[in-house]
Amino acid sequence: MIADSNTHARNASALLTGRNLATLKKELTLKLRPKYLRHNIWEDDDYFSKSSAGWSETAKPLPQIPEAELANPVVPKTIAENPHLFDIVTPINVDCFEKLLLSHPNQSFVKSVCRGLREGFWPWADTHIDEYPDSLDLSFPIPDDIDEAQFLHDQRDHEIFKGRFSEAFGDKLLPGMYCMPIFAIPKPHSTDLQMVTHQSAGTHSLNSMIPHDDIVGYPLDNLRHLGEFLLSMHRHNPDTPRVLFKSDVAEAYRLLPVHPYWQIKQVNCIDGLLHVDRNSAFGGRASGCNWISFMSLVSWITKKKRNIELLATYSDDSFGPEDANNITWYQPY
């Protein structure tokens, strides 16, 4: 049977042109690479992998606190009766931050991050799953180790000074409160200590309230991006001396406030006294996602508003190559 039609099939080879062909080539090349190299083999072109800044242009908005949480009669009563324990604390100038993002193409995402900075971030949690208790105390006693006990004491004082911990309110939890264990461990490759909030402790932990599927897909820039930057810089300015820089954000997650309805779950016990933790904890399951979201917008501002295109961001570290002649040293360096 012969079809009687003027419809013509598109030439398959015509589909493999331009960017499609480049993408296919990259996919094929990737399959041929040894697995241990991952993406750390680079092409000789000006193609840049999508960075966290680029991801922000299509990212989904961060969640608001669900209506079911707002309808919980226990939590708002405790907050209303103890307003001095709960606060939104951040050094970030949200109005300035938002103004710099007026031309960002993904305004729903921008507004969700700015809302988190103003009202506190919600960590995707469902506090009503299964038969979780309204209040739970899993705190550890005062450490026997004198150095650890003193460190936690000093860290508590620092957090109160910063406004991120409330003043002590006694040794008994109020309705709706959770208290997870805290302890100190040495920092990697150091004898200095760091405080750990164990939000995964127990069968009714805070982290177990946060569905894993809701907090995946938040990207970190990496060596693949750095390699592309270096090759591009060398390609366009082969004789220019270069340096690598890295800028670290001090205290990182702690700069982001959490919603008061989550603050009430972040009570810490130190020296036998209780304090509400008002900001993102390093042991929180969603803390990294909220931080990556915020930093993706910081990176976008840096690239689009300050024209620092060769910049990558890995959590609280921003890094990239620069012309060695552009260095300005500051004290004490």
Side-chain angles (χ1 to χ4, degrees):
M1 181 176 180
I2 300 176
D4 183 11
S5 171
N6 292 324
T7 302
H8 298 282
R10 295 178 64 187
N11 188 333
S13 63
L15 299 176
L16 298 178
T17 59
R19 191 168 184 83
N20 287 338
L21 184 59
T23 301
L24 182 63
K25 178 183 176 183
K26 286 182 180 296
E27 291 175 351
L28 180 60
T29 303
L30 182 60
K31 291 179 180 179
L32 297 175
R33 295 173 180 173
K35 287 185 178 181
Y36 70 88
L37 289 174
R38 295 180 178 268
H39 295 280
N40 295 328
I41 296 179
W42 295 273
E43 302 294 333
D44 187 20
D45 57 26
D46 276 331
Y47 173 82
F48 288 161
S49 302
K50 180 183 285 189
S51 65
S52 58
W55 167 83
S56 75
E57 296 183 344
T58 57
K60 294 180 180 179
L62 300 182
Q64 298 186 62
I65 181 171
E67 290 295 328
E69 299 293 336
L70 294 172
N72 182 345
V74 177
V75 171
K77 185 174 186 296
T78 296
I79 293 175
E81 292 175 351
N82 302 274
H84 61 289
L85 298 180
F86 307 93
D87 200 2
I88 301 299
V89 178
T90 180
I92 297 162
N93 186 330
V94 188
D95 291 341
C96 180
F97 180 67
E98 191 170 38
K99 185 176 181 180
L100 288 167
L101 292 163
L102 286 175
S103 61
H104 192 284
N106 188 359
Q107 283 298 303
S108 60
F109 178 69
V110 170
K111 291 182 185 302
S112 72
V113 174
C114 291
R115 181 185 63 241
L117 292 169
R118 291 191 173 103
E119 302 175 6
F121 290 88
W122 184 254
W124 290 266
D126 177 3
T127 66
H128 303 288
I129 58 174
D130 300 327
E131 296 297 328
Y132 279 42
D134 284 330
S135 298
L136 182 64
D137 187 356
L138 296 178
S139 60
F140 286 167
I142 299 173
D144 293 330
D145 183 86
I146 296 176
D147 291 337
E148 181 180 357
Q150 185 62 48
F151 170 79
L152 293 176
H153 175 94
D154 294 342
Q155 189 67 26
R156 183 270 317 273
D157 290 349
H158 173 73
E159 293 291 338
I160 291 175
F161 173 76
K162 291 284 188 176
R164 298 186 297 235
F165 274 19
S166 72
E167 296 288 346
F169 61 92
D171 58 0
K172 296 289 190 296
L173 292 177
L174 301 176
M177 289 183 167
Y178 272 51
C179 184
M180 295 286 103
I182 62 168
F183 49 90
I185 62 172
K187 292 181 178 180
H189 315 295
S190 173
T191 57
D192 294 338
L193 296 175
Q194 61 182 357
M195 188 171 78
V196 175
T197 306
H198 192 2
Q199 293 195 355
S200 294
T203 56
H204 299 107
S205 70
L206 298 185
N207 283 342
S208 68
M209 299 177 182
I210 302 170
H212 177 267
D213 290 346
D214 290 345
I215 55 169
V216 296
Y218 288 78
L220 296 168
D221 299 341
N222 50 52
L223 286 177
R224 180 180 182 179
H225 299 87
L226 179 60
E228 291 167 353
F229 295 163
L230 287 169
L231 287 171
S232 176
M233 199 173 195
H234 179 73
R235 189 176 300 111
H236 295 288
N237 299 286
D239 299 322
T240 300
R242 290 172 286 275
V243 295
L244 291 178
F245 69 87
K246 180 177 77 74
S247 178
D248 175 75
V249 180
E251 300 184 322
Y253 297 0
R254 303 296 294 153
L255 306 182
L256 301 186
V258 296
H259 195 281
Y261 277 55
W262 192 248
Q263 293 178 25
I264 200 171
K265 304 298 184 188
Q266 290 195 158
V267 176
N268 290 331
C269 182
I270 299 176
D271 293 345
L273 297 175
L274 300 172
H275 305 262
V276 173
D277 185 355
R278 299 160 172 164
N279 289 58
S280 294
F282 283 104
R285 194 174 199 179
S287 297
C289 301
N290 286 325
W291 178 256
I292 289 170
S293 298
F294 167 69
M295 283 301 292
S296 73
L297 295 178
V298 173
S299 183
W300 188 92
I301 291 169
T302 306
K303 290 172 178 284
K304 304 298 183 180
K305 299 298 183 179
R306 297 296 181 261
N307 299 315
I308 304 176
E309 182 61 31
L310 303 184
L311 180 78
T313 301
Y314 186 95
S315 189
D316 58 341
D317 292 321
S318 295
F319 58 94
E322 183 53 89
D323 184 335
N325 297 318
N326 286 341
I327 296 176
T328 300
W329 298 102
Y330 61 93
Q331 293 183 353
Y333 304 103

